[in-house]
Coordinates of all heavy atoms in Angstrom, one line a residue:
A1 N 134.4 -67.4 91.4 CA 134.1 -66.4 92.4 C 133.6 -65.1 91.7 O 132.7 -64.4 92.3 CB 135.4 -66.0 93.2
A2 N 134.1 -64.9 90.5 CA 133.7 -63.6 89.8 C 132.2 -63.8 89.4 O 131.4 -62.8 89.4 CB 134.5 -63.5 88.5
Y3 N 131.8 -65.0 89.0 CA 130.3 -65.2 88.7 C 129.5 -65.0 89.9 O 128.5 -64.3 89.8 CB 130.2 -66.7 88.2 CG 128.7 -67.1 88.0 CD1 128.0 -66.6 86.9 CD2 128.0 -67.8 89.1 CE1 126.7 -66.9 86.8 CE2 126.7 -68.1 88.9 CZ 126.0 -67.7 87.8 OH 124.7 -68.0 87.6
C4 N 129.9 -65.5 91.1 CA 129.1 -65.3 92.3 C 129.0 -63.7 92.6 O 127.9 -63.3 93.0 CB 129.7 -66.0 93.4 SG 129.6 -67.7 93.3
A5 N 130.0 -63.1 92.4 CA 130.0 -61.6 92.8 C 129.1 -60.9 91.7 O 128.3 -60.1 92.2 CB 131.4 -61.1 92.7
A6 N 129.2 -61.3 90.5 CA 128.4 -60.6 89.5 C 126.9 -61.0 89.7 O 126.0 -60.2 89.7 CB 128.8 -61.0 88.1
R7 N 126.6 -62.2 90.1 CA 125.3 -62.7 90.3 C 124.7 -62.0 91.5 O 123.5 -61.6 91.5 CB 125.3 -64.2 90.5 CG 123.9 -64.7 90.9 CD 122.9 -64.7 89.7 NE 121.6 -65.3 90.0 CZ 120.6 -64.6 90.3 NH1 120.6 -63.3 90.2 NH2 119.5 -65.2 90.6
G8 N 125.5 -61.8 92.5 CA 125.0 -61.1 93.7 C 124.5 -59.7 93.4 O 123.5 -59.2 93.9
W9 N 125.4 -58.9 92.6 CA 125.0 -57.6 92.3 C 123.8 -57.6 91.3 O 122.9 -56.9 91.5 CB 126.2 -57.0 91.5 CG 125.9 -55.6 91.1 CD1 125.8 -54.5 91.7 CD2 125.4 -55.3 89.7 NE1 125.5 -53.5 91.0 CE2 125.2 -53.8 89.8 CE3 125.3 -55.9 88.5 CZ2 124.7 -53.2 88.6 CZ3 124.8 -55.3 87.4 CH2 124.6 -53.9 87.5
A10 N 123.8 -58.5 90.3 CA 122.7 -58.5 89.3 C 121.4 -58.8 90.0 O 120.3 -58.3 89.6 CB 123.0 -59.5 88.3
G11 N 121.5 -59.6 91.0 CA 120.2 -60.0 91.7 C 119.5 -58.9 92.5 O 118.4 -58.9 92.8
T12 N 120.2 -57.8 92.8 CA 119.7 -56.7 93.5 C 119.1 -55.6 92.6 O 118.7 -54.5 93.1 CB 120.7 -56.1 94.5 OG1 121.8 -55.6 93.7 CG2 121.1 -57.1 95.5
I13 N 119.2 -55.8 91.3 CA 118.7 -54.7 90.3 C 117.3 -54.3 90.7 O 117.0 -53.1 90.6 CB 119.0 -55.2 88.9 CG1 120.5 -55.1 88.6 CG2 118.1 -54.2 88.0 CD1 120.7 -55.7 87.2
I14 N 116.4 -55.3 90.9 CA 115.0 -54.9 91.2 C 114.9 -54.1 92.4 O 114.1 -53.1 92.4 CB 114.1 -56.2 91.3 CG1 112.6 -55.8 91.3 CG2 114.5 -57.1 92.5 CD1 111.8 -57.0 91.2
G15 N 115.6 -54.3 93.4 CA 115.6 -53.5 94.7 C 116.2 -52.1 94.5 O 115.6 -51.2 94.9
E16 N 117.2 -52.1 93.7 CA 117.9 -50.8 93.4 C 116.9 -49.9 92.5 O 116.7 -48.7 92.7 CB 119.2 -50.9 92.6 CG 120.3 -51.6 93.4 CD 120.8 -50.8 94.6 OE1 120.5 -49.5 94.7 OE2 121.5 -51.3 95.4
E17 N 116.2 -50.5 91.6 CA 115.2 -49.8 90.7 C 114.0 -49.4 91.5 O 113.6 -48.3 91.4 CB 114.7 -50.8 89.6 CG 113.7 -50.2 88.7 CD 114.2 -49.0 87.9 OE1 115.4 -48.9 87.7 OE2 113.3 -48.3 87.4
A18 N 113.6 -50.2 92.5 CA 112.5 -49.8 93.3 C 112.8 -48.6 94.2 O 112.0 -47.7 94.3 CB 112.0 -51.0 94.3
L19 N 114.1 -48.6 94.8 CA 114.5 -47.4 95.5 C 114.6 -46.1 94.7 O 114.1 -45.1 95.1 CB 115.9 -47.7 96.0 CG 116.0 -48.5 97.3 CD1 117.5 -48.8 97.6 CD2 115.4 -47.8 98.5
L20 N 115.1 -46.3 93.4 CA 115.1 -45.1 92.5 C 113.7 -44.6 92.1 O 113.5 -43.4 92.1 CB 115.8 -45.5 91.3 CG 117.4 -45.7 91.4 CD1 118.1 -46.2 90.1 CD2 118.1 -44.3 91.8
Q21 N 112.8 -45.6 91.9 CA 111.4 -45.1 91.5 C 110.8 -44.5 92.7 O 110.1 -43.5 92.5 CB 110.6 -46.4 91.0 CG 111.1 -47.0 89.7 CD 110.8 -46.1 88.6 OE1 109.8 -45.4 88.5 NE2 111.6 -46.2 87.5
L22 N 110.9 -45.0 93.9 CA 110.3 -44.3 95.0 C 111.0 -43.0 95.3 O 110.2 -42.0 95.6 CB 110.4 -45.2 96.2 CG 109.6 -46.5 96.3 CD1 110.0 -47.5 97.3 CD2 108.1 -46.1 96.5
A23 N 112.3 -42.8 95.1 CA 113.0 -41.6 95.3 C 112.4 -40.5 94.3 O 112.4 -39.3 94.7 CB 114.5 -41.7 95.2
S24 N 112.2 -41.0 93.1 CA 111.7 -40.1 92.1 C 110.4 -39.4 92.4 O 110.1 -38.3 91.9 CB 111.6 -40.8 90.7 OG 110.5 -41.6 90.6
I25 N 109.6 -40.0 93.3 CA 108.3 -39.4 93.7 C 108.4 -39.0 95.2 O 107.4 -38.8 95.9 CB 107.1 -40.3 93.4 CG1 107.3 -41.6 94.1 CG2 106.9 -40.4 92.0 CD1 106.0 -42.5 94.0
D26 N 109.6 -39.0 95.8 CA 109.9 -38.5 97.2 C 109.1 -39.4 98.2 O 108.4 -38.9 99.0 CB 109.7 -37.1 97.3 CG 110.3 -36.5 98.6 OD1 111.3 -37.1 99.0 OD2 109.8 -35.6 99.2
E27 N 109.1 -40.7 98.0 CA 108.3 -41.6 98.8 C 109.3 -42.7 99.4 O 110.3 -43.0 98.8 CB 107.2 -42.3 98.1 CG 106.0 -41.5 97.7 CD 105.2 -41.0 98.9 OE1 105.2 -41.7 99.9 OE2 104.5 -40.0 98.8
Q28 N 108.9 -43.2 100.5 CA 109.6 -44.4 101.2 C 108.5 -45.3 101.6 O 107.5 -45.0 102.2 CB 110.4 -44.0 102.4 CG 111.5 -43.1 102.1 CD 112.4 -42.8 103.3 OE1 112.1 -43.2 104.4 NE2 113.5 -42.0 103.1
P29 N 108.7 -46.6 101.4 CA 107.7 -47.6 101.9 C 107.6 -47.8 103.4 O 108.7 -47.7 104.0 CB 108.2 -48.9 101.2 CG 109.6 -48.7 101.0 CD 109.9 -47.3 100.8
D30 N 106.4 -48.0 103.8 CA 106.3 -48.3 105.3 C 106.7 -49.8 105.5 O 107.3 -50.1 106.5 CB 104.9 -48.1 105.8 CG 104.4 -46.7 105.6 OD1 105.3 -45.8 105.9 OD2 103.3 -46.5 105.3
V31 N 106.3 -50.7 104.6 CA 106.5 -52.1 104.7 C 107.0 -52.7 103.4 O 106.4 -52.3 102.4 CB 105.3 -52.9 105.2 CG1 105.5 -54.4 105.3 CG2 104.7 -52.3 106.5
L32 N 108.0 -53.5 103.4 CA 108.4 -54.2 102.2 C 108.3 -55.7 102.4 O 108.8 -56.3 103.5 CB 110.0 -53.9 102.0 CG 110.6 -54.6 100.8 CD1 110.1 -53.9 99.5 CD2 112.1 -54.7 100.9
V33 N 107.5 -56.4 101.6 CA 107.3 -57.8 101.7 C 107.8 -58.5 100.5 O 107.6 -58.1 99.3 CB 105.7 -58.0 101.8 CG1 105.5 -59.6 102.0 CG2 105.2 -57.3 103.0
A34 N 108.6 -59.6 100.8 CA 109.1 -60.4 99.6 C 109.1 -61.8 100.0 O 109.3 -62.2 101.2 CB 110.6 -59.9 99.3
C35 N 108.9 -62.7 99.0 CA 108.8 -64.1 99.3 C 110.1 -64.8 99.4 O 111.2 -64.3 98.8 CB 108.0 -64.8 98.2 SG 108.6 -64.7 96.5
T36 N 110.3 -65.8 100.1 CA 111.6 -66.5 100.3 C 111.4 -68.0 100.0 O 110.3 -68.5 99.9 CB 112.0 -66.4 101.8 OG1 111.0 -66.9 102.6 CG2 112.2 -64.9 102.2
G37 N 112.5 -68.7 99.9 CA 112.6 -70.1 99.8 C 112.6 -70.7 98.4 O 112.6 -71.8 98.2
G38 N 112.5 -69.8 97.4 CA 112.4 -70.3 96.0 C 113.5 -69.7 95.2 O 113.4 -69.9 93.9
G39 N 114.4 -68.9 95.7 CA 115.4 -68.3 94.8 C 115.9 -67.0 95.4 O 115.9 -66.9 96.6
S40 N 116.2 -66.0 94.6 CA 116.8 -64.8 95.0 C 115.8 -63.6 95.1 O 116.1 -62.5 95.3 CB 117.9 -64.4 94.1 OG 117.4 -64.2 92.8
N41 N 114.5 -63.9 95.0 CA 113.5 -62.9 95.1 C 113.6 -62.0 96.4 O 113.7 -60.7 96.3 CB 112.1 -63.5 95.1 CG 111.1 -62.4 95.0 OD1 111.3 -61.3 94.6 ND2 109.8 -62.8 95.3
F42 N 113.7 -62.6 97.5 CA 113.8 -61.8 98.8 C 115.1 -60.9 98.7 O 115.0 -59.7 99.0 CB 113.8 -62.6 100.0 CG 113.9 -61.9 101.3 CD1 112.9 -61.2 101.8 CD2 115.1 -61.8 101.9 CE1 113.0 -60.4 102.9 CE2 115.3 -61.1 103.0 CZ 114.2 -60.3 103.5
G43 N 116.2 -61.6 98.5 CA 117.4 -60.8 98.5 C 117.6 -59.7 97.5 O 118.0 -58.6 97.8
G44 N 117.1 -60.0 96.3 CA 117.2 -59.1 95.3 C 116.3 -57.8 95.5 O 116.7 -56.7 95.2
L45 N 115.1 -57.9 96.1 CA 114.4 -56.8 96.4 C 114.8 -56.2 97.8 O 114.9 -55.0 97.9 CB 112.8 -57.3 96.5 CG 111.8 -56.1 96.8 CD1 111.9 -55.0 95.8 CD2 110.4 -56.7 97.0
A46 N 115.0 -57.0 98.8 CA 115.2 -56.5 100.2 C 116.5 -55.9 100.5 O 116.7 -55.0 101.3 CB 114.7 -57.6 101.2
F47 N 117.6 -56.5 99.9 CA 119.0 -56.1 100.3 C 119.3 -54.7 100.1 O 119.8 -54.0 101.0 CB 120.0 -57.0 99.7 CG 120.1 -58.4 100.2 CD1 121.0 -59.4 99.7 CD2 119.4 -58.8 101.4 CE1 121.0 -60.6 100.3 CE2 119.4 -60.0 101.9 CZ 120.3 -60.9 101.4
P48 N 118.9 -54.1 99.0 CA 119.1 -52.5 98.8 C 118.4 -51.8 99.9 O 118.9 -50.8 100.5 CB 118.7 -52.3 97.4 CG 118.8 -53.5 96.7 CD 118.5 -54.6 97.7
F49 N 117.2 -52.2 100.3 CA 116.4 -51.6 101.3 C 117.0 -51.7 102.7 O 117.1 -50.8 103.5 CB 114.9 -52.0 101.3 CG 114.1 -51.5 100.1 CD1 114.1 -52.1 98.9 CD2 113.4 -50.3 100.3 CE1 113.4 -51.6 97.9 CE2 112.6 -49.8 99.3 CZ 112.7 -50.5 98.0
L50 N 117.5 -53.0 102.9 CA 118.2 -53.3 104.2 C 119.4 -52.4 104.3 O 119.7 -51.9 105.4 CB 118.5 -54.8 104.2 CG 119.2 -55.2 105.5 CD1 118.2 -55.0 106.7 CD2 119.5 -56.7 105.4
R51 N 120.2 -52.3 103.2 CA 121.4 -51.4 103.3 C 121.0 -50.0 103.7 O 121.7 -49.3 104.6 CB 122.0 -51.4 101.9 CG 123.3 -50.5 101.7 CD 123.7 -50.2 100.3 NE 122.5 -49.4 99.7 CZ 122.1 -49.7 98.4 NH1 122.7 -50.7 97.7 NH2 121.2 -49.0 97.9
E52 N 120.0 -49.5 103.2 CA 119.5 -48.1 103.4 C 119.0 -48.0 104.9 O 119.2 -47.0 105.5 CB 118.5 -47.7 102.4 CG 119.0 -47.5 101.0 CD 120.1 -46.6 100.9 OE1 120.1 -45.4 101.3 OE2 121.2 -47.0 100.3
K53 N 118.3 -49.1 105.3 CA 117.8 -49.1 106.7 C 119.0 -49.2 107.7 O 119.0 -48.4 108.7 CB 116.9 -50.3 106.8 CG 116.3 -50.3 108.3 CD 115.2 -51.4 108.3 CE 114.7 -51.5 109.7 NZ 113.4 -51.7 109.8
L54 N 119.9 -50.0 107.5 CA 121.1 -50.1 108.3 C 121.9 -48.8 108.4 O 122.5 -48.5 109.4 CB 122.0 -51.3 108.0 CG 121.3 -52.6 108.2 CD1 122.3 -53.7 107.6 CD2 121.0 -52.9 109.7
A55 N 121.9 -48.0 107.2 CA 122.6 -46.8 107.3 C 121.8 -45.6 107.9 O 122.3 -44.6 107.9 CB 123.0 -46.5 105.8
G56 N 120.6 -46.0 108.3 CA 119.8 -45.0 108.9 C 119.0 -44.0 108.0 O 118.5 -43.1 108.4
R57 N 118.9 -44.4 106.7 CA 118.3 -43.5 105.7 C 116.8 -44.0 105.5 O 116.1 -43.2 104.8 CB 119.1 -43.5 104.5 CG 120.4 -42.9 104.5 CD 121.1 -42.8 103.2 NE 121.6 -44.1 102.8 CZ 123.0 -44.5 102.9 NH1 123.8 -43.7 103.6 NH2 123.3 -45.6 102.5
L58 N 116.4 -45.1 106.0 CA 115.0 -45.7 105.8 C 114.5 -46.2 107.1 O 115.3 -46.7 107.9 CB 115.0 -46.8 104.8 CG 115.0 -46.5 103.3 CD1 114.9 -47.8 102.6 CD2 113.8 -45.7 103.0
N59 N 113.2 -46.2 107.4 CA 112.6 -46.8 108.5 C 111.6 -47.8 108.1 O 110.6 -48.0 108.7 CB 112.0 -45.7 109.4 CG 111.6 -46.2 110.7 OD1 112.2 -47.1 111.3 ND2 110.6 -45.6 111.3
T60 N 111.8 -48.5 107.0 CA 110.9 -49.5 106.5 C 110.9 -50.8 107.2 O 112.0 -51.3 107.6 CB 111.3 -49.8 105.0 OG1 111.3 -48.6 104.2 CG2 110.5 -50.8 104.3
V61 N 109.8 -51.4 107.5 CA 109.7 -52.7 108.1 C 109.9 -53.7 106.9 O 109.1 -53.6 105.9 CB 108.3 -52.9 108.7 CG1 108.2 -54.3 109.2 CG2 108.2 -51.9 109.9
I62 N 110.8 -54.6 107.0 CA 111.1 -55.6 106.0 C 110.7 -57.0 106.5 O 111.0 -57.4 107.6 CB 112.6 -55.7 105.7 CG1 113.0 -54.3 105.2 CG2 112.9 -56.7 104.7 CD1 114.5 -54.1 105.0
R63 N 109.8 -57.6 105.7 CA 109.2 -59.0 106.1 C 109.4 -59.9 105.0 O 109.2 -59.7 103.9 CB 107.7 -58.8 106.4 CG 107.3 -58.0 107.6 CD 107.7 -58.8 108.8 NE 107.3 -58.0 110.0 CZ 108.2 -57.4 110.8 NH1 109.5 -57.5 110.5 NH2 107.8 -56.8 111.8
A64 N 109.9 -61.1 105.4 CA 110.1 -62.3 104.5 C 108.9 -63.2 104.7 O 108.5 -63.4 105.9 CB 111.4 -63.0 104.9
V65 N 108.3 -63.6 103.6 CA 107.1 -64.6 103.8 C 107.4 -65.8 102.9 O 108.2 -65.7 102.0 CB 105.8 -63.8 103.3 CG1 105.5 -62.7 104.2 CG2 106.0 -63.3 101.8
E66 N 106.8 -66.9 103.2 CA 106.8 -68.1 102.5 C 105.5 -68.7 102.2 O 104.6 -68.4 103.0 CB 107.8 -69.1 103.1 CG 107.2 -69.6 104.4 CD 108.2 -70.6 105.1 OE1 109.2 -71.0 104.6 OE2 107.9 -71.0 106.2
P67 N 105.3 -69.5 101.1 CA 104.0 -70.1 100.9 C 103.7 -71.2 102.0 O 104.6 -72.0 102.3 CB 104.2 -70.7 99.5 CG 105.6 -70.8 99.3 CD 106.3 -69.8 100.1
A68 N 102.5 -71.2 102.3 CA 102.1 -72.3 103.3 C 102.1 -73.7 102.7 O 102.4 -74.7 103.4 CB 100.7 -72.0 103.8
A69 N 102.0 -73.7 101.4 CA 102.0 -75.0 100.7 C 103.3 -75.6 100.6 O 103.4 -76.9 100.6 CB 101.5 -74.9 99.3
C70 N 104.4 -74.8 100.7 CA 105.7 -75.4 100.7 C 106.7 -74.6 101.6 O 107.5 -73.9 101.1 CB 106.3 -75.6 99.3 SG 106.3 -74.1 98.4
P71 N 106.5 -74.6 102.8 CA 107.3 -73.9 103.8 C 108.7 -74.3 103.9 O 109.1 -75.1 104.8 CB 106.5 -74.0 105.2 CG 105.9 -75.3 105.0 CD 105.6 -75.5 103.6
S72 N 109.6 -73.9 103.1 CA 111.0 -74.3 103.1 C 111.8 -73.7 104.2 O 112.9 -74.3 104.5 CB 111.6 -74.1 101.8 OG 111.6 -72.7 101.5
L73 N 111.4 -72.7 104.8 CA 112.2 -72.1 105.9 C 111.7 -72.5 107.3 O 112.5 -72.9 108.2 CB 112.2 -70.5 105.8 CG 112.9 -70.0 104.5 CD1 112.7 -68.5 104.6 CD2 114.3 -70.3 104.5
T74 N 110.4 -72.5 107.5 CA 109.9 -72.7 108.9 C 109.7 -74.2 109.2 O 109.8 -74.6 110.3 CB 108.6 -72.0 109.1 OG1 107.7 -72.4 108.2 CG2 108.8 -70.5 109.0
R75 N 109.4 -75.0 108.2 CA 109.2 -76.5 108.4 C 109.9 -77.3 107.5 O 109.8 -78.6 107.5 CB 107.7 -76.8 108.3 CG 106.9 -76.2 109.6 CD 105.5 -76.5 109.4 NE 104.9 -75.5 108.5 CZ 103.7 -75.5 108.0 NH1 102.9 -76.5 108.3 NH2 103.3 -74.5 107.2
G76 N 110.7 -76.8 106.6 CA 111.4 -77.6 105.6 C 112.7 -78.2 106.3 O 113.1 -77.9 107.4
E77 N 113.2 -79.2 105.5 CA 114.4 -79.9 106.0 C 115.6 -79.1 105.6 O 115.8 -78.5 104.6 CB 114.5 -81.2 105.2 CG 115.7 -82.1 105.7 CD 115.7 -83.4 104.9 OE1 114.7 -83.9 104.5 OE2 116.8 -83.9 104.7
Y78 N 116.5 -78.9 106.6 CA 117.7 -78.1 106.4 C 118.8 -78.9 105.9 O 119.2 -79.8 106.5 CB 118.1 -77.4 107.8 CG 119.3 -76.5 107.6 CD1 119.3 -75.3 107.1 CD2 120.6 -76.9 108.0 CE1 120.4 -74.5 106.9 CE2 121.7 -76.2 107.9 CZ 121.6 -74.9 107.3 OH 122.6 -74.2 107.1
R79 N 119.2 -78.6 104.6 CA 120.3 -79.4 104.0 C 120.7 -78.6 102.8 O 120.0 -77.8 102.2 CB 119.8 -80.8 103.6 CG 118.8 -80.9 102.6 CD 118.4 -82.3 102.3 NE 117.4 -82.3 101.2 CZ 117.1 -83.3 100.6 NH1 117.6 -84.4 100.7 NH2 116.1 -83.2 99.6
Y80 N 121.9 -79.0 102.3 CA 122.4 -78.4 101.0 C 121.7 -79.2 99.9 O 121.4 -80.3 100.0 CB 123.9 -78.6 101.0 CG 124.6 -77.7 102.0 CD1 125.2 -78.2 103.1 CD2 124.8 -76.4 101.7 CE1 125.8 -77.5 104.0 CE2 125.4 -75.5 102.6 CZ 126.0 -76.0 103.8 OH 126.6 -75.3 104.7
D81 N 121.6 -78.4 98.8 CA 120.8 -79.1 97.7 C 121.8 -79.6 96.5 O 121.5 -79.7 95.4 CB 119.8 -78.1 97.1 CG 120.5 -76.8 96.5 OD1 121.7 -76.7 96.7 OD2 119.8 -76.0 95.9
F82 N 123.0 -79.8 96.9 CA 124.0 -80.4 95.9 C 124.7 -81.6 96.5 O 124.7 -81.9 97.7 CB 125.0 -79.4 95.5 CG 125.8 -78.6 96.5 CD1 126.8 -79.2 97.1 CD2 125.3 -77.5 97.1 CE1 127.6 -78.6 98.1 CE2 126.0 -76.8 98.0 CZ 127.1 -77.3 98.6

């Protein structure tokens, strides 16, 4: 359980850094786009922005996208990989 908790936090470093970089120039994104279906890319980038959006501090549109060549979310088979 400790590994999962640490991994969850570590995975959001890119999103936290993006928030800090944007705040340093007093900017907020209009749209945030991140890819899904291949790992933690979407969560790592989007979750800190989603936290701020749910708290009412951002009005960013958050979009998840997937590659057409391997659509694991919209047309993939739903199953556990273990």
Side-chain angles (χ1 to χ4, degrees):
Y3 173 76
C4 292
R7 174 70 177 106
W9 174 82
T12 61
I13 289 174
I14 189 169
E16 296 292 350
E17 177 67 19
L19 280 171
L20 288 171
Q21 291 291 329
L22 288 164
S24 74
I25 58 171
D26 198 29
E27 289 289 337
Q28 294 183 359
D30 295 322
V31 179
L32 178 77
V33 179
C35 60
T36 59
S40 60
N41 185 20
F42 178 78
L45 182 60
F47 285 175
F49 285 89
L50 184 59
R51 176 195 66 223
E52 296 302 305
K53 182 174 179 141
L54 292 174
R57 295 186 285 263
L58 280 180
N59 193 27
T60 301
V61 174
I62 300 172
R63 292 289 180 252
V65 296
E66 66 181 354
C70 56
S72 58
L73 295 177
T74 59
R75 289 180 279 170
E77 184 178 332
Y78 181 74
R79 65 180 180 166
Y80 291 103
D81 61 354
F82 53 87

